């Protein structure tokens, strides 16, 4: 396939992916009034009514404050786009996959599918835990304002806070998967991971303390504890992978060899000939 052909294929795949994102955004825009908006506001509406600036509605729902004319429309469009990207992810991810697969081997395709499935699941798990921690984090942070203070959150501030928390949890849960991938390609060994276990757990807690937007201990521990468990699972998988790799190298006679060391001959009766071959003398030097 020529370069122009690749570019034309990429253009078509991007166009199809954007079309599915547009459809997902339209569905989310319609869904906003059917319960999506209430689902997003639920952690804030679950707080005590005396801590919120606006009173609750008769059905128990609550409102967020919008201080400009276009604020409400922009917030709805922003939420619809983000949810639309998530809803249409199977379709636009397939377009990415269809563009890349012609250049991959069968084993690489298998690993690629496993990586996409695992990364998507971990991101969803992190986002779900972030949503669970959201109400507790808001309660703690708003409660620190003390008595006599009413916190009226604007829609822009609240939605930005929710999105940053969901993304922070989702991305942080990808780190153990990256460590496992580095082990699979031979960059990071089980021995290195095992020796660094204490540092990994310590740095995970420090990372959770800095990355959580709420900065409260409950949310930090809710992020750090599953990450430590996932890192331990990655370490144990690395242990299994390194054992299989060692057995395979021993069977092929490659065990104990450095990366820059020549491998022994498979057939001992015909060792490798290391004698340099003769070069033809250039014509202008021949006599």
């Amino acid at each position: 396939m020529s370069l122009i052909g690749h570019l034309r294929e990429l253009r078509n795949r991007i166009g199809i992916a954007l079309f599915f994102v547009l459809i997902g955004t339209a569905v989310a825009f319609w869904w906003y009034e059917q319960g999506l908006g209430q689902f997003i506001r639920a952690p804030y509406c679950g707080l005590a009514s005396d801590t919120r600036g606006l009173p609750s509605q008769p059905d128990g729902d609550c409102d967020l404050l919008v201080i400009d004319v276009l604020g409400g429309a922009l917030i709805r469009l922003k939420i619809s786009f983000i949810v639309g990207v998530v809803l249409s992810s199977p379709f636009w991810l397939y377009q990415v996959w269809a563009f890349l697969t012609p250049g991959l081997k069968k084993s690489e395709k298998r690993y690629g599918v496993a990586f996409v499935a695992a990364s998507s699941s971990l991101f969803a798990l992190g986002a779900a835990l972030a949503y669970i921690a959201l109400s507790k984090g808001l309660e703690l942070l708003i409660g620190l304002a003390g008595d006599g203070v009413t916190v009226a959150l604007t829609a822009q501030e609240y939605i930005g806070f929710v999105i940053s928390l969901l993304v922070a949890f989702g991305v942080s849960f990808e780190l153990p998967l990256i460590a496992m991938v580095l082990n699979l390609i031979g960059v990071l060994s089980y021995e290195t991971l095992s020796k660094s276990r204490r540092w990994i757990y310590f740095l995970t807690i420090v990372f959770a303390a800095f990355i959580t937007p709420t900065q409260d201990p409950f949310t930090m521990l809710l992020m750090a504890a599953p990450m430590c468990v996932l890192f331990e699972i990655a370490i144990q998988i690395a242990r299994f992978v390194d054992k299989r790799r060692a057995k395979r190298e021993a069977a092929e006679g490659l065990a104990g060899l450095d990366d820059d060391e020549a491998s022994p001959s498979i057939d001992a009766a015909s060792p490798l000939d290391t004698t340099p071959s003769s070069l033809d003398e250039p014509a202008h030097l021949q006599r």
Side-chain angles (χ1 to χ4, degrees), residues 148-265:
V149 177
T150 300
V151 179
L153 294 180
T154 64
Q156 292 90 334
E157 292 174 347
Y158 177 75
I159 297 302
F161 175 78
V162 171
I163 292 175
S164 62
L165 187 66
L166 296 180
V167 172
F169 266 73
V171 172
S172 64
F173 275 43
E174 304 287 342
L175 298 180
L177 179 63
I178 294 176
M180 188 177 68
V181 171
L182 291 177
N183 173 260
L184 289 174
I185 62 178
V187 175
L188 197 59
S189 66
Y190 163 73
E191 183 178 0
T192 302
L193 289 172
S194 180
K195 289 181 179 180
S196 306
R197 182 183 276 110
R198 293 182 179 179
W199 277 105
I200 289 175
Y201 294 159
F202 172 75
L203 293 177
T204 297
I205 296 174
V206 173
F207 172 80
F210 277 97
I211 201 66
T212 49
T214 59
Q215 300 295 317
D216 65 281
F218 174 79
T219 307
M220 182 197 71
L221 291 177
L222 191 61
M223 176 187 286
M227 284 184 65
C228 290
V229 174
L230 292 173
F231 267 118
E232 184 61 33
I233 294 175
I235 292 174
Q236 297 305 319
I237 293 177
R239 179 181 182 182
F240 173 75
V241 170
D242 283 4
K243 283 186 176 180
R244 288 191 58 183
R245 184 181 292 123
K247 289 182 180 179
R248 183 174 64 250
E249 291 178 351
E252 296 175 355
L254 303 177
L257 294 178
D258 296 331
D259 293 337
D260 55 352
E261 185 177 353
S263 60
S265 174

Side-chain angles (χ1 to χ4, degrees), residues 53-107:
L54 298 178
S56 300
Q57 299 176 2
D59 58 357
D61 198 5
C62 66
D63 296 324
L64 293 171
L65 186 63
V66 176
I67 58 177
D68 57 88
V69 176
L70 297 177
L74 293 178
I75 285 298
R76 183 169 179 174
L77 287 173
K78 182 178 181 180
I79 295 176
S80 299
F81 175 73
I82 295 173
V83 175
V85 171
V86 175
L87 292 178
S88 61
S89 58
F91 302 99
W92 59 261
L93 282 175
Y94 171 77
Q95 299 302 318
V96 176
W97 183 248
F99 180 75
L100 296 177
T101 46
L104 299 178
K105 299 178 181 178
K106 185 176 181 180
S107 59

Side-chain angles (χ1 to χ4, degrees), residues 6-45:
H6 280 295
L7 294 177
R8 187 180 296 112
E9 174 74 9
L10 179 61
R11 181 198 61 188
N12 294 337
R13 295 294 180 183
I14 292 177
I16 296 174
L18 292 177
F19 174 73
F20 283 117
V21 171
L22 181 62
I23 293 178
T25 302
V27 172
F29 190 86
W30 169 83
W31 185 25
Y32 187 86
E33 291 294 338
Q34 311 301 321
L36 177 60
Q38 184 178 1
F39 175 78
I40 295 174
R41 295 191 305 268
Y44 177 65
C45 296

Side-chain angles (χ1 to χ4, degrees), residues 268-286:
S270 57
L272 294 175
D273 185 8
T274 59
T275 303
S277 58
S278 59
L279 298 176
D280 294 335
E281 190 175 9
H284 68 280
L285 296 179
Q286 294 179 358

